[in-house]
Amino acid sequence: MRYGLKGLLLFCLLFPLWLLPSRGQGGDLLLRVLLKEVPEGQEVSLLLPEGQGTVRARGEAQGVWVEGKVQPFWEFPGPYFRLEGRPYRGGVRLLAQGGKLLVINLVLLEDYLLGVLPGEMPEGFPLEALKAQAVLARTFAVNRLNPKAPYDLCASELCQVYLGFAAEKPKHAQAVAATRGQVLSYGGKAISALYHADSGGMTAGSEEVFQKALPYLRPRPDPYAKGPKSAWRVSVSKEAAEQALRALGYTPKGEEAPQVLERSPSGRAWRVRLMGVEVWGPEAQRLLRLMGLPSALAEFQGFEAVGRGAGHGVGLSQWGAKGMAEAGFDHREILGHYFPGTFLSELLLAGVP
């Protein structure tokens, strides 16, 4: 196809990155990543390369409306597109479902990781820590493959933060390339690859947070975790405590300050009494997070909490991985510490088709 000089100049100004080929290679897995849910009837705009300009679309009861035509779904194969100014590798699919328009990025696994690592671990962390993160992000993604669902992953912290093309950094790309195709496996299957910011010195067993005990997600000492939330002090208002209880379906029966009555094997709150109500198990940890605490590795002095760490505490501690890498451990040793009994495997050996 031939373009006029004006069109060619506009294309080069708007899409200079799109002249580059996809970083993925043959045999790579294709992921479906939900980028945005748009209420039915509300328009969304996609900017396409190759002189195709802007596409306006919206979801309707009959399907996807695109530039005046309604169809069951709409796809653009790529290799790139922009959504709300943010460029993404791969293609895009639009689906109307449940009163919403789903904007789904069709992206190769290794390309997807290039946009995940910048959102999950700072580029300034040591390369071996970044390589451990790359393996976990890849393992997490392949564990979410679900052909029966409209998409496999979301782009927010509810899954993994995915920032697309513009966020890519050379050191993150180096970590992805150095671990290409590697996942953690246990019993011939890719593991549940959980991670968090800072364990506060001790990781948690999976049953402490997610109710299911997994043999490779056990409490582990984490002496190298030294981050900005390794020690903290937070004041909790009575209003915030009451709202946290109500969010879990409880009705406050007084104004009693929080008390930790029992702790889990990793030292996290396991039974908490607050305002005349007792909350047990993983729900007690959710209560503390709803109250605005960085982690459940905490104790109370009235309505002031003193604690350590940030996040649920299960699996790899990112600040712990940083500390281990700085102490000379490589990514295999880091992963082996946080996930005992697992193997660093290729995709096929981990049961991924």
Side-chain angles (χ1 to χ4, degrees), residues 101-126:
L101 178 71
L102 307 184
V103 184
I104 301 168
N105 185 193
L106 307 176
V107 59
L108 295 174
L109 171 59
E110 301 298 320
D111 287 348
Y112 162 76
L113 294 175
L114 297 174
V116 168
L117 257 66
E120 292 292 354
M121 184 173 279
E123 189 183 21
F125 276 31

PDB file of all heavy atoms in Angstrom, residues 101-126:
ATOM      1  N   LEU A 101     -18.116  -3.249  27.443  1.00  0.00           N
ATOM      2  CA  LEU A 101     -17.215  -3.531  26.331  1.00  0.00           C
ATOM      3  C   LEU A 101     -15.868  -3.912  26.914  1.00  0.00           C
ATOM      4  O   LEU A 101     -15.263  -3.137  27.669  1.00  0.00           O
ATOM      5  CB  LEU A 101     -17.075  -2.306  25.431  1.00  0.00           C
ATOM      6  CG  LEU A 101     -16.112  -2.470  24.243  1.00  0.00           C
ATOM      7  CD1 LEU A 101     -16.701  -3.415  23.204  1.00  0.00           C
ATOM      8  CD2 LEU A 101     -15.802  -1.110  23.613  1.00  0.00           C
ATOM      9  N   LEU A 102     -15.380  -5.100  26.585  1.00  0.00           N
ATOM     10  CA  LEU A 102     -14.085  -5.567  27.074  1.00  0.00           C
ATOM     11  C   LEU A 102     -13.021  -5.263  26.018  1.00  0.00           C
ATOM     12  O   LEU A 102     -13.148  -5.689  24.867  1.00  0.00           O
ATOM     13  CB  LEU A 102     -14.122  -7.065  27.349  1.00  0.00           C
ATOM     14  CG  LEU A 102     -15.230  -7.589  28.264  1.00  0.00           C
ATOM     15  CD1 LEU A 102     -15.061  -9.086  28.506  1.00  0.00           C
ATOM     16  CD2 LEU A 102     -15.275  -6.839  29.581  1.00  0.00           C
ATOM     17  N   VAL A 103     -11.996  -4.531  26.422  1.00  0.00           N
ATOM     18  CA  VAL A 103     -10.863  -4.234  25.535  1.00  0.00           C
ATOM     19  C   VAL A 103      -9.727  -5.166  25.938  1.00  0.00           C
ATOM     20  O   VAL A 103      -9.160  -5.043  27.030  1.00  0.00           O
ATOM     21  CB  VAL A 103     -10.427  -2.770  25.654  1.00  0.00           C
ATOM     22  CG1 VAL A 103      -9.307  -2.471  24.653  1.00  0.00           C
ATOM     23  CG2 VAL A 103     -11.611  -1.835  25.422  1.00  0.00           C
ATOM     24  N   ILE A 104      -9.400  -6.121  25.066  1.00  0.00           N
ATOM     25  CA  ILE A 104      -8.478  -7.210  25.398  1.00  0.00           C
ATOM     26  C   ILE A 104      -7.258  -7.164  24.490  1.00  0.00           C
ATOM     27  O   ILE A 104      -7.372  -7.171  23.268  1.00  0.00           O
ATOM     28  CB  ILE A 104      -9.189  -8.576  25.267  1.00  0.00           C
ATOM     29  CG1 ILE A 104     -10.402  -8.627  26.204  1.00  0.00           C
ATOM     30  CG2 ILE A 104      -8.229  -9.725  25.546  1.00  0.00           C
ATOM     31  CD1 ILE A 104     -11.327  -9.796  25.942  1.00  0.00           C
ATOM     32  N   ASN A 105      -6.087  -7.134  25.098  1.00  0.00           N
ATOM     33  CA  ASN A 105      -4.820  -7.157  24.353  1.00  0.00           C
ATOM     34  C   ASN A 105      -4.443  -8.608  24.047  1.00  0.00           C
ATOM     35  O   ASN A 105      -4.361  -9.446  24.945  1.00  0.00           O
ATOM     36  CB  ASN A 105      -3.742  -6.505  25.214  1.00  0.00           C
ATOM     37  CG  ASN A 105      -2.400  -6.341  24.532  1.00  0.00           C
ATOM     38  OD1 ASN A 105      -1.408  -6.063  25.192  1.00  0.00           O
ATOM     39  ND2 ASN A 105      -2.333  -6.484  23.215  1.00  0.00           N
ATOM     40  N   LEU A 106      -4.241  -8.907  22.772  1.00  0.00           N
ATOM     41  CA  LEU A 106      -3.761 -10.226  22.346  1.00  0.00           C
ATOM     42  C   LEU A 106      -2.255 -10.106  22.182  1.00  0.00           C
ATOM     43  O   LEU A 106      -1.771  -9.518  21.215  1.00  0.00           O
ATOM     44  CB  LEU A 106      -4.433 -10.630  21.038  1.00  0.00           C
ATOM     45  CG  LEU A 106      -5.966 -10.568  21.023  1.00  0.00           C
ATOM     46  CD1 LEU A 106      -6.504 -10.891  19.641  1.00  0.00           C
ATOM     47  CD2 LEU A 106      -6.559 -11.504  22.070  1.00  0.00           C
ATOM     48  N   VAL A 107      -1.505 -10.644  23.137  1.00  0.00           N
ATOM     49  CA  VAL A 107      -0.072 -10.370  23.193  1.00  0.00           C
ATOM     50  C   VAL A 107       0.700 -11.647  23.510  1.00  0.00           C
ATOM     51  O   VAL A 107       0.249 -12.479  24.305  1.00  0.00           O
ATOM     52  CB  VAL A 107       0.220  -9.263  24.244  1.00  0.00           C
ATOM     53  CG1 VAL A 107      -0.263  -9.667  25.628  1.00  0.00           C
ATOM     54  CG2 VAL A 107       1.692  -8.894  24.267  1.00  0.00           C
ATOM     55  N   LEU A 108       1.854 -11.806  22.887  1.00  0.00           N
ATOM     56  CA  LEU A 108       2.709 -12.954  23.162  1.00  0.00           C
ATOM     57  C   LEU A 108       3.267 -12.859  24.578  1.00  0.00           C
ATOM     58  O   LEU A 108       3.535 -11.773  25.093  1.00  0.00           O
ATOM     59  CB  LEU A 108       3.845 -13.022  22.152  1.00  0.00           C
ATOM     60  CG  LEU A 108       3.426 -13.290  20.698  1.00  0.00           C
ATOM     61  CD1 LEU A 108       4.618 -13.185  19.765  1.00  0.00           C
ATOM     62  CD2 LEU A 108       2.766 -14.660  20.557  1.00  0.00           C
ATOM     63  N   LEU A 109       3.439 -14.013  25.192  1.00  0.00           N
ATOM     64  CA  LEU A 109       3.859 -14.089  26.586  1.00  0.00           C
ATOM     65  C   LEU A 109       5.129 -13.281  26.865  1.00  0.00           C
ATOM     66  O   LEU A 109       5.178 -12.483  27.810  1.00  0.00           O
ATOM     67  CB  LEU A 109       4.082 -15.558  26.977  1.00  0.00           C
ATOM     68  CG  LEU A 109       4.718 -15.840  28.339  1.00  0.00           C
ATOM     69  CD1 LEU A 109       3.867 -15.261  29.466  1.00  0.00           C
ATOM     70  CD2 LEU A 109       4.929 -17.338  28.529  1.00  0.00           C
ATOM     71  N   GLU A 110       6.176 -13.465  26.071  1.00  0.00           N
ATOM     72  CA  GLU A 110       7.437 -12.784  26.336  1.00  0.00           C
ATOM     73  C   GLU A 110       7.311 -11.269  26.117  1.00  0.00           C
ATOM     74  O   GLU A 110       7.946 -10.479  26.818  1.00  0.00           O
ATOM     75  CB  GLU A 110       8.560 -13.368  25.477  1.00  0.00           C
ATOM     76  CG  GLU A 110       8.801 -14.865  25.697  1.00  0.00           C
ATOM     77  CD  GLU A 110       9.221 -15.191  27.132  1.00  0.00           C
ATOM     78  OE1 GLU A 110      10.015 -14.429  27.721  1.00  0.00           O
ATOM     79  OE2 GLU A 110       8.749 -16.227  27.659  1.00  0.00           O
ATOM     80  N   ASP A 111       6.477 -10.854  25.161  1.00  0.00           N
ATOM     81  CA  ASP A 111       6.211  -9.431  24.975  1.00  0.00           C
ATOM     82  C   ASP A 111       5.437  -8.863  26.161  1.00  0.00           C
ATOM     83  O   ASP A 111       5.687  -7.740  26.604  1.00  0.00           O
ATOM     84  CB  ASP A 111       5.425  -9.199  23.688  1.00  0.00           C
ATOM     85  CG  ASP A 111       6.277  -9.376  22.434  1.00  0.00           C
ATOM     86  OD1 ASP A 111       7.507  -9.456  22.561  1.00  0.00           O
ATOM     87  OD2 ASP A 111       5.704  -9.436  21.330  1.00  0.00           O
ATOM     88  N   TYR A 112       4.488  -9.627  26.648  1.00  0.00           N
ATOM     89  CA  TYR A 112       3.693  -9.219  27.818  1.00  0.00           C
ATOM     90  C   TYR A 112       4.596  -8.954  29.020  1.00  0.00           C
ATOM     91  O   TYR A 112       4.440  -7.954  29.729  1.00  0.00           O
ATOM     92  CB  TYR A 112       2.684 -10.322  28.118  1.00  0.00           C
ATOM     93  CG  TYR A 112       2.076 -10.310  29.498  1.00  0.00           C
ATOM     94  CD1 TYR A 112       1.082  -9.397  29.841  1.00  0.00           C
ATOM     95  CD2 TYR A 112       2.475 -11.239  30.456  1.00  0.00           C
ATOM     96  CE1 TYR A 112       0.510  -9.407  31.110  1.00  0.00           C
ATOM     97  CE2 TYR A 112       1.908 -11.258  31.713  1.00  0.00           C
ATOM     98  CZ  TYR A 112       0.930 -10.338  32.040  1.00  0.00           C
ATOM     99  OH  TYR A 112       0.371 -10.356  33.297  1.00  0.00           O
ATOM    100  N   LEU A 113       5.573  -9.822  29.235  1.00  0.00           N
ATOM    101  CA  LEU A 113       6.462  -9.675  30.390  1.00  0.00           C
ATOM    102  C   LEU A 113       7.274  -8.383  30.325  1.00  0.00           C
ATOM    103  O   LEU A 113       7.610  -7.807  31.362  1.00  0.00           O
ATOM    104  CB  LEU A 113       7.399 -10.878  30.485  1.00  0.00           C
ATOM    105  CG  LEU A 113       6.729 -12.222  30.779  1.00  0.00           C
ATOM    106  CD1 LEU A 113       7.751 -13.349  30.732  1.00  0.00           C
ATOM    107  CD2 LEU A 113       6.030 -12.203  32.128  1.00  0.00           C
ATOM    108  N   LEU A 114       7.575  -7.918  29.124  1.00  0.00           N
ATOM    109  CA  LEU A 114       8.320  -6.667  28.982  1.00  0.00           C
ATOM    110  C   LEU A 114       7.541  -5.488  29.568  1.00  0.00           C
ATOM    111  O   LEU A 114       8.129  -4.508  30.021  1.00  0.00           O
ATOM    112  CB  LEU A 114       8.625  -6.397  27.508  1.00  0.00           C
ATOM    113  CG  LEU A 114       9.527  -7.413  26.799  1.00  0.00           C
ATOM    114  CD1 LEU A 114       9.621  -7.094  25.312  1.00  0.00           C
ATOM    115  CD2 LEU A 114      10.913  -7.451  27.418  1.00  0.00           C
ATOM    116  N   GLY A 115       6.217  -5.592  29.566  1.00  0.00           N
ATOM    117  CA  GLY A 115       5.380  -4.549  30.130  1.00  0.00           C
ATOM    118  C   GLY A 115       4.960  -4.804  31.557  1.00  0.00           C
ATOM    119  O   GLY A 115       4.374  -3.930  32.201  1.00  0.00           O
ATOM    120  N   VAL A 116       5.261  -6.012  32.075  1.00  0.00           N
ATOM    121  CA  VAL A 116       4.896  -6.355  33.459  1.00  0.00           C
ATOM    122  C   VAL A 116       6.011  -5.991  34.433  1.00  0.00           C
ATOM    123  O   VAL A 116       5.766  -5.387  35.479  1.00  0.00           O
ATOM    124  CB  VAL A 116       4.558  -7.857  33.577  1.00  0.00           C
ATOM    125  CG1 VAL A 116       4.470  -8.291  35.039  1.00  0.00           C
ATOM    126  CG2 VAL A 116       3.240  -8.152  32.885  1.00  0.00           C
ATOM    127  N   LEU A 117       7.234  -6.358  34.105  1.00  0.00           N
ATOM    128  CA  LEU A 117       8.334  -6.155  35.061  1.00  0.00           C
ATOM    129  C   LEU A 117       8.476  -4.702  35.508  1.00  0.00           C
ATOM    130  O   LEU A 117       8.695  -4.457  36.703  1.00  0.00           O
ATOM    131  CB  LEU A 117       9.654  -6.685  34.481  1.00  0.00           C
ATOM    132  CG  LEU A 117      10.074  -8.044  35.082  1.00  0.00           C
ATOM    133  CD1 LEU A 117       9.088  -9.132  34.685  1.00  0.00           C
ATOM    134  CD2 LEU A 117      11.479  -8.418  34.664  1.00  0.00           C
ATOM    135  N   PRO A 118       8.338  -3.709  34.613  1.00  0.00           N
ATOM    136  CA  PRO A 118       8.460  -2.322  35.091  1.00  0.00           C
ATOM    137  C   PRO A 118       7.406  -1.938  36.122  1.00  0.00           C
ATOM    138  O   PRO A 118       7.640  -1.053  36.948  1.00  0.00           O
ATOM    139  CB  PRO A 118       8.293  -1.498  33.808  1.00  0.00           C
ATOM    140  CG  PRO A 118       8.679  -2.417  32.710  1.00  0.00           C
ATOM    141  CD  PRO A 118       8.216  -3.766  33.147  1.00  0.00           C
ATOM    142  N   GLY A 119       6.248  -2.602  36.095  1.00  0.00           N
ATOM    143  CA  GLY A 119       5.202  -2.301  37.052  1.00  0.00           C
ATOM    144  C   GLY A 119       5.310  -3.079  38.346  1.00  0.00           C
ATOM    145  O   GLY A 119       4.626  -2.762  39.323  1.00  0.00           O
ATOM    146  N   GLU A 120       6.170  -4.103  38.365  1.00  0.00           N
ATOM    147  CA  GLU A 120       6.251  -4.972  39.536  1.00  0.00           C
ATOM    148  C   GLU A 120       7.557  -4.871  40.311  1.00  0.00           C
ATOM    149  O   GLU A 120       7.592  -5.176  41.495  1.00  0.00           O
ATOM    150  CB  GLU A 120       6.023  -6.432  39.109  1.00  0.00           C
ATOM    151  CG  GLU A 120       4.603  -6.735  38.630  1.00  0.00           C
ATOM    152  CD  GLU A 120       3.571  -6.655  39.743  1.00  0.00           C
ATOM    153  OE1 GLU A 120       3.963  -6.483  40.908  1.00  0.00           O
ATOM    154  OE2 GLU A 120       2.371  -6.754  39.439  1.00  0.00           O
ATOM    155  N   MET A 121       8.650  -4.475  39.645  1.00  0.00           N
ATOM    156  CA  MET A 121       9.935  -4.382  40.347  1.00  0.00           C
ATOM    157  C   MET A 121      10.765  -3.259  39.733  1.00  0.00           C
ATOM    158  O   MET A 121      10.914  -3.195  38.517  1.00  0.00           O
ATOM    159  CB  MET A 121      10.693  -5.714  40.270  1.00  0.00           C
ATOM    160  CG  MET A 121      11.998  -5.742  41.045  1.00  0.00           C
ATOM    161  SD  MET A 121      12.781  -7.403  41.091  1.00  0.00           S
ATOM    162  CE  MET A 121      11.842  -8.194  42.407  1.00  0.00           C
ATOM    163  N   PRO A 122      11.327  -2.364  40.546  1.00  0.00           N
ATOM    164  CA  PRO A 122      12.100  -1.230  40.015  1.00  0.00           C
ATOM    165  C   PRO A 122      13.312  -1.673  39.200  1.00  0.00           C
ATOM    166  O   PRO A 122      13.963  -2.680  39.516  1.00  0.00           O
ATOM    167  CB  PRO A 122      12.550  -0.491  41.280  1.00  0.00           C
ATOM    168  CG  PRO A 122      11.576  -0.892  42.338  1.00  0.00           C
ATOM    169  CD  PRO A 122      11.192  -2.315  42.012  1.00  0.00           C
ATOM    170  N   GLU A 123      13.639  -0.916  38.158  1.00  0.00           N
ATOM    171  CA  GLU A 123      14.776  -1.235  37.307  1.00  0.00           C
ATOM    172  C   GLU A 123      16.082  -1.169  38.082  1.00  0.00           C
ATOM    173  O   GLU A 123      17.065  -1.817  37.721  1.00  0.00           O
ATOM    174  CB  GLU A 123      14.831  -0.267  36.121  1.00  0.00           C
ATOM    175  CG  GLU A 123      15.851  -0.644  35.073  1.00  0.00           C
ATOM    176  CD  GLU A 123      15.942   0.366  33.951  1.00  0.00           C
ATOM    177  OE1 GLU A 123      15.538   1.526  34.160  1.00  0.00           O
ATOM    178  OE2 GLU A 123      16.422   0.003  32.861  1.00  0.00           O
ATOM    179  N   GLY A 124      16.106  -0.415  39.175  1.00  0.00           N
ATOM    180  CA  GLY A 124      17.320  -0.289  39.966  1.00  0.00           C
ATOM    181  C   GLY A 124      17.658  -1.500  40.804  1.00  0.00           C
ATOM    182  O   GLY A 124      18.752  -1.576  41.380  1.00  0.00           O
ATOM    183  N   PHE A 125      16.750  -2.472  40.898  1.00  0.00           N
ATOM    184  CA  PHE A 125      17.050  -3.703  41.632  1.00  0.00           C
ATOM    185  C   PHE A 125      18.108  -4.509  40.866  1.00  0.00           C
ATOM    186  O   PHE A 125      18.224  -4.393  39.651  1.00  0.00           O
ATOM    187  CB  PHE A 125      15.788  -4.537  41.809  1.00  0.00           C
ATOM    188  CG  PHE A 125      14.938  -4.146  42.992  1.00  0.00           C
ATOM    189  CD1 PHE A 125      14.889  -2.836  43.439  1.00  0.00           C
ATOM    190  CD2 PHE A 125      14.168  -5.082  43.663  1.00  0.00           C
ATOM    191  CE1 PHE A 125      14.108  -2.469  44.519  1.00  0.00           C
ATOM    192  CE2 PHE A 125      13.386  -4.731  44.749  1.00  0.00           C
ATOM    193  CZ  PHE A 125      13.350  -3.421  45.181  1.00  0.00           C
ATOM    194  N   PRO A 126      18.892  -5.353  41.567  1.00  0.00           N
ATOM    195  CA  PRO A 126      19.917  -6.163  40.891  1.00  0.00           C
ATOM    196  C   PRO A 126      19.312  -7.067  39.823  1.00  0.00           C
ATOM    197  O   PRO A 126      18.161  -7.497  39.935  1.00  0.00           O
ATOM    198  CB  PRO A 126      20.520  -6.987  42.030  1.00  0.00           C
ATOM    199  CG  PRO A 126      20.201  -6.229  43.274  1.00  0.00           C
ATOM    200  CD  PRO A 126      18.889  -5.571  43.031  1.00  0.00           C
TER     201      PRO A 126
END
